[in-house]
Amino acid sequence: MVAIGILVIVSLLLSLGWRSYKQASHPKWQVPREPFPATWREILVREVLFYNSLNDEEKPRFESKVQEFLLNCRITGIKTDVSLTDKLLVASSAIIPIFGFDSWKYANIREVLLYPDMFDENYQFEGESDKRILGMVGNQSMEGIMILSKEALRLGFKNESDKQNTAIHEFVHLIDKTDGEIDGLPKVLMDKQYALPWINHMNREIDRIYARKSDINPYGGTNRAEFFSVISEYFFERPKLLEEKHPELYALLEKIFNQNMADRNLSKKTKVIGRNDPCYCESGEKFKHCCGSVHYKKTV
């Protein structure tokens, strides 16, 4: 009886320990409970063309998804500062590819590490090693972690014509990985009826990349997984050009991501704001007393 009692107690302790471990490893998913900050909105308006292309009903949903992502994923700088803008750019990179899916949750990431610049295969960014990696989705001991070059993150949102966005590229890898394998065939987003056409078009275009007959980034010819991420960058950065140059690929990506990107206006808007105009961050103050105070002397 004593032995049985001890066995029951040990089993109970093991059960509680396992439950505690699971809760620590997979904390409860948090949802936003506070209004989206006006200062955050100001940064999205200034930095994220995708956000500006959304209509009045879509913008609050994008904001909520950004807020939710940041509640559930840490952004940590490694020997570099992380600004609010950096955090919002990372979150926007995560949300843009899955914006067509209301219930999507990134259950396979818990932290994004921002490095100052490029790094090598051993995650080193200092010294004399061959540092040429801009982003990486971790595995094994780095499972649940993504590494991004801060320089590449910012450049991805500054250059609107190069068809490249490193952070979006890596989050597409993460989407691809949800079925257990990064292979360019994201089963979680892809209906069986167009899985085969997608494979055929991928293989055909990879051959064209090798033959130097494609305008797609040559890195997309590495394998199917890289092709999927590279063509996704193209889809979200230059959708109208992709539709013109590669209509079949564009049509399939439209189905995969459940988004009609070619209808979005991704061009930068220029707007002149007078010193006495209402501030664009919607604070209710005049521009000269709010975000423009760095340019104008405050007056009573």
Side-chain angles (χ1 to χ4, degrees), residues 50-62:
F50 182 91
Y51 175 80
N52 290 315
S53 75
L54 303 177
N55 61 38
D56 291 341
E57 293 181 356
E58 292 173 322
K59 284 180 178 177
R61 186 159 62 86
F62 187 89

Side-chain angles (χ1 to χ4, degrees), residues 92-110:
S92 295
S93 304
I95 301 310
I96 288 170
I98 55 86
F99 188 66
F101 302 90
D102 287 340
S103 60
W104 182 276
K105 290 178 174 57
Y106 278 102
N108 55 352
I109 187 169
R110 64 180 184 275

Side-chain angles (χ1 to χ4, degrees), residues 116-293:
D117 210 329
M118 293 186 286
F119 53 96
D120 64 22
E121 292 181 352
N122 296 315
Y123 319 122
Q124 301 300 311
F125 56 88
E126 297 176 320
E128 301 299 323
S129 63
D130 184 17
K131 298 181 288 293
R132 52 190 175 82
I133 302 174
L134 296 173
M136 178 185 291
V137 172
N139 53 42
Q140 296 178 354
S141 64
M142 295 288 284
E143 192 70 37
I145 295 174
M146 179 186 293
I147 304 176
L148 291 173
S149 155
K150 186 169 77 170
E151 190 70 23
L153 168 70
R154 293 179 175 181
L155 184 61
F157 286 89
K158 291 295 183 189
N159 193 331
E160 57 182 306
S161 62
D162 65 352
K163 314 170 201 169
Q164 296 178 37
N165 186 304
T166 297
I168 287 178
H169 181 109
E170 296 306 322
F171 276 104
V172 170
H173 275 324
L174 205 60
I175 292 166
D176 192 3
K177 193 179 181 180
T178 53
D179 59 7
E181 187 175 2
I182 301 178
D183 57 3
L185 189 64
K187 296 180 181 64
V188 70
L189 298 184
M190 191 174 293
D191 194 281
K192 291 179 181 178
Q193 65 185 8
Y194 50 88
L196 185 58
W198 171 247
I199 293 171
N200 291 336
H201 277 90
M202 271 201 302
N203 292 340
R204 190 177 304 128
E205 199 59 37
I206 287 173
D207 288 341
R208 283 174 52 80
I209 291 173
Y210 276 115
R212 299 183 180 179
K213 295 180 179 179
S214 177
D215 70 323
I216 295 170
N217 185 337
Y219 190 61
T222 306
N223 53 49
R224 289 178 179 175
E226 295 302 341
F227 180 85
F228 178 46
S229 280
V230 164
I231 199 67
S232 296
E233 292 177 78
Y234 198 156
F235 178 73
F236 289 109
E237 292 280 299
R238 299 292 303 279
K240 290 180 173 61
L241 183 62
L242 179 63
E243 186 180 38
E244 176 189 335
K245 298 277 189 179
H246 309 276
E248 297 90 354
L249 279 170
Y250 174 85
L252 287 167
L253 287 166
E254 196 176 77
K255 292 177 181 178
I256 290 170
F257 291 110
N258 195 33
Q259 297 190 57
N260 182 359
M261 287 298 301
D263 281 354
R264 296 202 180 280
N265 181 9
L266 297 177
S267 60
K268 286 186 176 177
K269 300 175 183 177
T270 56
K271 183 179 179 182
V272 177
I273 301 177
R275 65 199 305 269
N276 291 312
D277 289 342
C279 190
Y280 53 77
C281 75
E282 300 179 355
S283 65
E285 294 191 67
K286 291 181 179 180
F287 179 64
K288 66 182 180 182
H289 291 159
C290 191
C291 296
S293 62

